[in-house]
Amino acid sequence: MPDAPTDLAIHPLTPDRWDDLAALFEEGGDPKWCWCQFYRERGLDWSNSTAADNRERLETLTSKGPPPGLVAYEGDRAVGWVSLAPRPAYDRLTHAKVLAPVDDQPVWSIVCFVVSRKARGKGVATALLDGAIDWARSQGATILEGYPSDTQGRKIPAANAYHGTLSMFESAGFEVVALRQANRSSPVRPIVRLGL
């Protein structure tokens, strides 16, 4: 597992950190369009949403609080992001079939990681996951849940790893509580949990 940068710091996204996160998302790729709204807004897809609208939604969430996620800094530059909140905050999860609730226990969900291209391979996502565990616990969560990609030891494109990887979650103590797939030809999606 990669080592985290020695000067990496993890902070909740508050309005005073908004410009730092915006600079990270503006680097390109899916974050530049999605602004971490895909799971929060069930009806959003590439055809009926704009980057400007999604950015405004995340900025509004940030200004109203509570923090919608955590930002990783290397020095004074934002290099990573993790979105986590109580599961009901993610409307798409509320109506999901493959990622439908395992049971009726209240959980917090981790749905997305973003790592700057310039900081990949340095353990930023692992540090964000550790920070997410600490943050959820400090906010009174008792169970933290994730929906990682099972890479089976293979390298996958960054665009497919935004859920985090199963091995990363398992290394942090999460356990697989369900394996689901939409149909026989679709990939199996693990649901993992950690008791806090």
Side-chain angles (χ1 to χ4, degrees), residues 3-11 71-81 115 119 122-131:
D3 292 326
T6 55
D7 62 349
L8 197 69
I10 311 292
H11 298 285
V71 184
Y73 286 84
E74 189 172 22
D76 61 358
R77 187 172 79 88
V79 295
W81 159 258
V115 176
K122 296 181 176 182
V124 173
T126 299
L128 282 164
L129 181 57
D130 292 342

Side-chain angles (χ1 to χ4, degrees), residues 74-150:
E74 189 172 22
D76 61 358
R77 187 172 79 88
V79 295
W81 159 258
V82 61
S83 178
L84 75 152
R87 185 181 166 105
Y90 299 107
D91 192 44
R92 192 174 296 263
L93 285 181
T94 300
H95 300 279
K97 292 184 178 167
V98 173
L99 300 179
V102 173
D103 53 36
D104 60 0
Q105 295 188 74
V107 301
W108 275 49
S109 296
I110 295 173
V111 298
C112 182
F113 292 86
V114 174
V115 176
S116 170
R117 289 184 181 132
K118 298 172 186 172
R120 291 184 186 154
K122 296 181 176 182
V124 173
T126 299
L128 282 164
L129 181 57
D130 292 342
I133 293 167
D134 292 341
W135 175 253
R137 185 181 290 124
S138 76
Q139 300 304 297
T142 56
I143 300 172
L144 190 55
E145 189 172 85
Y147 318 98
S149 299
D150 184 0

Side-chain angles (χ1 to χ4, degrees), residues 56-68:
E56 183 179 336
R57 284 183 185 103
L58 183 57
E59 190 168 13
T60 298
L61 281 171
T62 302
S63 65
K64 288 183 176 179

Side-chain angles (χ1 to χ4, degrees), residues 1-70:
M1 186 178 329
D3 292 326
T6 55
D7 62 349
L8 197 69
I10 311 292
H11 298 285
L13 177 61
T14 51
D16 59 313
R17 298 186 184 282
W18 172 255
D19 289 342
D20 301 334
L21 181 73
L24 170 64
F25 280 20
E26 289 291 346
E27 286 183 15
D30 289 343
K32 190 173 181 177
W33 166 81
C34 181
W35 290 87
C36 220
Q37 295 305 296
F38 180 78
Y39 280 95
R40 289 186 181 273
E41 301 284 337
R42 181 169 50 135
L44 292 185
D45 63 31
W46 291 102
S47 64
N48 69 356
S49 182
T50 68
D53 289 342
N54 292 340
R55 178 185 172 128
E56 183 179 336
R57 284 183 185 103
L58 183 57
E59 190 168 13
T60 298
L61 281 171
T62 302
S63 65
K64 288 183 176 179
L70 307 175

